[in-house]
Amino acid sequence: MAIDLSPKLAKRVYGGDGGAYYAWSPSELPMLREGNIGASKLALEKNGFALPRYSDSSKVAYVLQGQGVAGIVLPESEEKVIAIKKGDAIALPFGVVTWWYNKEDTELVVLFLGDTSKAHKAGEFTDFFLTGSNGVFTGFSTEFVSRAWDLEENVVKTLVGNQSANGIVKLQEGFKLPEAKKEHREGLALNCEEAPLDVDIKDGGRVVVLNTKNLPLVGEVGLGADLVRLDGSAMCSPGFSCDSALQVTYFVRGSGRVQVVGVDGKRVLETTVKGGNLFIVPRFYVVSKIADPDGLEWFSIITTPNPIFTHLAGRTSVWKALSPEVLQASFNVGSDVEKHFRSKRTSDAIFFPPPN
């Protein structure tokens, strides 16, 4: 039976006054389970505080909206506190403990995409909270915690029992959390909206690629990522990942059309997409996108830290590399048609502006 590739929206899992946590379910988006990929979003209201937690999956976090503060503790390291804002990408390897805070009026929204191949459930993240009603220490007896922390049992009961919320709380106005330090960002985060462009095509689109060169920590995460902004009515060249990687795409804003072609030249997906949609392209399938007049922006992770793509249009496409005789024989056409075909799309562009 064919797998449903239709884009899906995230659904609320838990939350309260401080914000909410949303996730995509493998039951609704089967490619999550097939590809061992997890996807979720954290949305914090003003003074919303996401309690410290660690996950069973390595991830890339991407700030979709707002600004705030994140605390990050890598294994056997000291806490690093960084300022985060829209466009920031943060690599989160296994074992990292994080907390997130929003002190601004604008909602802070963070997207998480990652690898669940070693997770408890394929296609889903499982977070382990250090505090709160479902914190790991609520499961230990008071005796065990008392001995571990070298504290009196009445103090342990206060520490473990006072935080009755689950996952996200709303702090009182004026509560002071640690201030972010600029030097802590080094090697942890990269702002994709301010980074040098890897591709910039006039009236076509722009790309920033996240890899081990500009954010070495993605090597530990085992994922690459990119931010793509497609101009109004422009097209992204048909292409595929040639190193067997999966591409997981979250549409940040705008709208457009997507086609995906799979085995035996069968079109397996033709749909419209909009901001908030998530979809996954299976290995080696060919995908192309055309933006609506308002443009289309997406953030993707690729299941390798240094992805390689093959494009099927433009000067760098495989068509330009093949000899004229091979094209004539393959298409069953004469040299005049082959020359006309080869004369088109002679730039290095992977984005094509709308026809005049």
Side-chain angles (χ1 to χ4, degrees):
M1 187 174 68
I3 294 177
D4 180 12
L5 300 179
S6 303
K8 298 292 191 299
L9 297 170
K11 290 190 175 179
R12 180 181 167 120
V13 179
Y14 64 83
D17 291 343
Y21 180 83
Y22 302 82
W24 283 265
S25 168
S27 62
E28 293 189 351
L29 194 57
M31 276 301 300
L32 289 172
R33 185 181 293 110
E34 287 286 321
N36 267 315
I37 297 295
S40 64
K41 282 197 298 188
L42 175 67
L44 295 178
E45 303 292 341
K46 184 177 182 181
N47 296 319
F49 176 58
L51 297 174
R53 82 279 310 273
Y54 63 93
S55 175
D56 63 356
S57 305
S58 57
K59 308 173 186 174
V60 172
Y62 182 71
V63 182
L64 297 168
Q65 175 183 301
Q67 55 185 329
V69 178
I72 299 172
V73 182
L74 295 168
E76 300 182 349
S77 299
E78 294 185 356
E79 177 186 56
K80 292 189 176 183
V81 182
I82 64 172
I84 58 173
K85 64 179 181 179
K86 178 177 172 290
D88 275 348
I90 306 154
L92 302 174
F94 279 116
V96 65
V97 172
T98 63
W99 55 262
W100 310 80
Y101 177 59
N102 178 24
K103 63 180 179 180
E104 306 295 335
D105 292 329
T106 302
E107 187 179 44
L108 172 66
V109 183
V110 184
L111 172 73
F112 299 95
L113 301 174
D115 174 20
T116 65
S117 60
K118 298 178 182 176
H120 286 271
K121 299 177 183 178
E124 296 182 50
F125 298 138
T126 299
D127 287 337
F128 294 82
F129 296 91
L130 300 189
T131 66
S133 62
N134 59 345
V136 293
F137 284 96
T138 62
F140 284 105
S141 68
T142 303
E143 177 198 359
F144 269 59
V145 181
S146 177
R147 290 188 62 177
W149 291 349
D150 190 24
L151 290 173
E152 298 82 2
E153 290 196 1
N154 64 315
V155 178
V156 167
K157 289 178 180 178
T158 298
L159 285 171
V160 174
N162 266 25
Q163 183 55 270
S164 59
N166 170 13
I168 299 171
V169 300
K170 186 168 186 176
L171 301 181
Q172 291 183 346
E173 188 74 37
F175 190 94
K176 295 292 185 182
L177 283 172
E179 292 291 328
K181 295 183 178 180
K182 188 175 181 180
E183 62 270 23
H184 283 181
R185 276 183 63 93
E186 185 67 31
L188 281 181
L190 176 76
N191 191 278
C192 295
E193 295 186 354
E194 298 174 356
L197 296 171
D198 293 280
V199 177
D200 185 7
I201 307 300
K202 187 176 186 293
D203 298 324
R206 287 151 298 286
V207 181
V208 170
V209 177
L210 194 69
N211 54 34
T212 55
K213 293 180 180 179
N214 52 20
L215 192 60
L217 202 56
V218 299
E220 289 188 39
V221 175
L223 302 169
D226 59 23
L227 175 67
V228 180
R229 285 167 281 184
L230 198 59
D231 291 335
S233 302
M235 179 184 194
C236 182
S237 165
F240 65 93
S241 171
C242 58
D243 50 8
S244 78
L246 284 167
Q247 187 172 9
V248 186
T249 298
Y250 176 84
F251 292 98
V252 178
R253 59 183 53 82
S255 58
R257 293 178 288 143
V258 174
Q259 290 186 359
V260 179
V261 175
V263 180
D264 293 329
K266 292 182 179 178
R267 189 185 308 154
V268 294
L269 181 68
E270 180 172 14
T271 189
T272 57
V273 293
K274 61 181 180 180
N277 281 155
L278 183 90
F279 95 117
I280 303 172
V281 180
R283 291 179 174 89
F284 300 110
Y285 281 35
V286 180
V287 60
S288 185
K289 309 174 186 77
I290 296 179
D292 286 341
D294 58 345
L296 185 61
E297 180 177 335
W298 64 86
F299 182 80
S300 296
I301 65 162
I302 304 94
T303 55
T304 179
N306 295 294
I308 302 172
F309 288 95
T310 293
H311 294 281
L312 299 176
R315 191 182 69 82
T316 58
S317 73
V318 66
W319 300 122
K320 306 298 185 183
L322 291 170
S323 62
E325 294 80 8
V326 170
L327 288 189
Q328 291 173 42
S330 300
F331 283 126
N332 191 24
V333 297
S335 61
D336 54 339
V337 175
E338 186 278 329
K339 288 177 181 177
H340 182 65
F341 174 63
R342 190 178 292 275
S343 70
K344 299 296 183 179
R345 300 294 186 208
T346 56
S347 73
D348 290 342
I350 60 170
F351 301 130
F352 310 132
N356 294 326

